[in-house]
Amino acid sequence: MKVLIADPISKHGLSILSDSGLDLIIKADSSLDEKLSAAKDVDGIIIRSGTKVDNKMLQIAKGLKVIGRAGVGIDNIDLVAATRKGVVVMNTPDVNTISAAEHTIALILTLARNIHLGHSTLMDGQWNRHNLIGTELRNKKIGILGLGKIGKEVMTRCLSFGMEVSGFDPFVNQDMFSDKEIKISGIDEVVSESDFITLHMPLNKNTENLFNFERFKKMKSTASIINVARGGIINESDLARALNEGVINGAAIDVFEVEPATDSIFFGMEEVICTPHLGASTLEAQENVALQVADQMSDFLTTGAVSNAINMPSISASEAPVLK
């Protein structure tokens, strides 16, 4: 059986696949046309965020059985088309959690203490210490939108700073949390009361452009927003307008509507910190997602076992032959 490696994964991940007897077609640094050509005769495809498995690729990959997403987000996979073709879609939902949560905290601290401006002005030979007075996180209100694994880790870290935490998630309620940890409220209440707002939700039809100019107007003028989730949840042109007009104070953006984002409306804006989708870019996360997706892919193709699938239930190796 053949597996197309369309995005980079670690050597240990590749070893798991090859040791399972799978033939690897490595096209991580190839063009889209080369990836499409290689997909014609494969049983599995492994991707990160750099490759899209759209309907075109699915039509070309006629023998495809499984897509492995080394990471959490699956917005670069046409899930409906894959499901209609009977292609199993798996992701690795747990291994990026700490890295994404820590990057979120790093961006919040950078915004609060003007670290980005301090660095850039000092590199230009300017000692602007008195113009870059920041704010403490203690006693500030943080609104966490999306209380899955990453959102909960962010909550834990914010509590350690002495922040007051509120949150919104349509799938949770106050009974799931201690009142001393977090106050669960409606989205508009969270947005209007928070000093910092951080997003931890998938991109879908319900969350696309969730933050437009009208929602920015509900935020405090001193508030900042952080997005380490998915580009498209924030309307980028509306955010730029909100910052330029002083509707809100600042933003930290790790994900963009179009990636790679080598050009952006935010570039050059002092109120915005931009990072190139670094939420999961730690040595630990890179290694762990590679190992997990490789294990899941090899288990599925060699035994039929299914784990962390988006479009079907999990199945053990012993159950697979019976249910096939």
Side-chain angles (χ1 to χ4, degrees), residues 115-157:
I115 292 171
H116 58 305
L117 298 176
H119 172 78
S120 61
T121 53
L122 194 56
M123 291 299 101
D124 288 336
Q126 302 174 46
W127 186 264
N128 285 341
R129 178 186 179 195
H130 298 294
N131 295 328
L132 297 173
I133 296 173
T135 181
E136 294 181 356
L137 297 186
R138 185 169 62 113
N139 296 327
K140 298 299 185 299
K141 294 183 178 180
I142 177 115
I144 303 174
L145 303 187
L147 289 162
K149 293 181 175 65
I150 297 172
K152 289 175 183 174
E153 291 291 343
V154 171
M155 177 189 74
T156 300
R157 285 153 179 76

Side-chain angles (χ1 to χ4, degrees), residues 12-191:
H12 291 136
L14 295 175
S15 296
I16 289 172
L17 294 163
S18 57
D19 290 348
S20 299
L22 302 172
D23 295 327
L24 306 186
I25 303 172
I26 300 175
K27 297 290 183 181
D29 298 319
S30 301
S31 67
L32 176 58
D33 287 340
E34 290 175 302
K35 293 177 184 180
L36 288 172
S37 178
K40 290 178 181 177
D41 186 30
V42 297
D43 301 278
I45 297 176
I46 289 179
I47 61 169
R48 290 183 60 82
S49 59
T51 299
K52 258 189 178 178
V53 181
D54 54 14
N55 190 52
K56 180 179 179 181
M57 182 175 282
L58 288 165
Q59 293 304 318
I60 290 172
K62 297 187 182 300
L64 187 65
K65 300 178 180 66
V66 58
I67 301 166
R69 168 66 165 95
V72 180
I74 56 165
D75 47 289
N76 55 332
I77 301 171
D78 189 332
L79 185 62
V80 172
T83 305
R84 284 176 176 163
K85 283 199 67 180
V87 177
V88 177
V89 177
M90 302 173 174
N91 68 349
T92 57
D94 300 323
V95 289
N96 290 344
T97 301
I98 300 302
S99 293
E102 289 185 356
H103 192 60
T104 300
I105 298 299
L107 292 176
I108 292 171
L109 284 167
T110 302
L111 283 169
R113 300 304 300 270
N114 295 315
I115 292 171
H116 58 305
L117 298 176
H119 172 78
S120 61
T121 53
L122 194 56
M123 291 299 101
D124 288 336
Q126 302 174 46
W127 186 264
N128 285 341
R129 178 186 179 195
H130 298 294
N131 295 328
L132 297 173
I133 296 173
T135 181
E136 294 181 356
L137 297 186
R138 185 169 62 113
N139 296 327
K140 298 299 185 299
K141 294 183 178 180
I142 177 115
I144 303 174
L145 303 187
L147 289 162
K149 293 181 175 65
I150 297 172
K152 289 175 183 174
E153 291 291 343
V154 171
M155 177 189 74
T156 300
R157 285 153 179 76
C158 289
L159 289 170
S160 72
F161 282 100
M163 300 186 80
E164 184 179 329
V165 184
S166 63
F168 166 78
D169 189 312
F171 302 105
V172 306
N173 57 51
Q174 188 65 60
D175 293 340
M176 300 168 68
F177 297 91
S178 165
D179 292 339
K180 295 179 181 179
E181 292 178 322
I182 187 171
K183 175 188 175 185
I184 304 298
S185 303
I187 185 169
D188 288 337
E189 184 178 350
V190 173
V191 167

Side-chain angles (χ1 to χ4, degrees), residues 286-308:
Q286 297 288 301
E287 182 69 8
N288 290 337
V289 294
L291 296 178
Q292 186 169 336
V293 77
D295 277 332
Q296 291 175 190
M297 178 70 68
S298 61
D299 285 348
F300 178 79
L301 291 177
T302 58
T303 71
V306 178
S307 55
N308 291 321

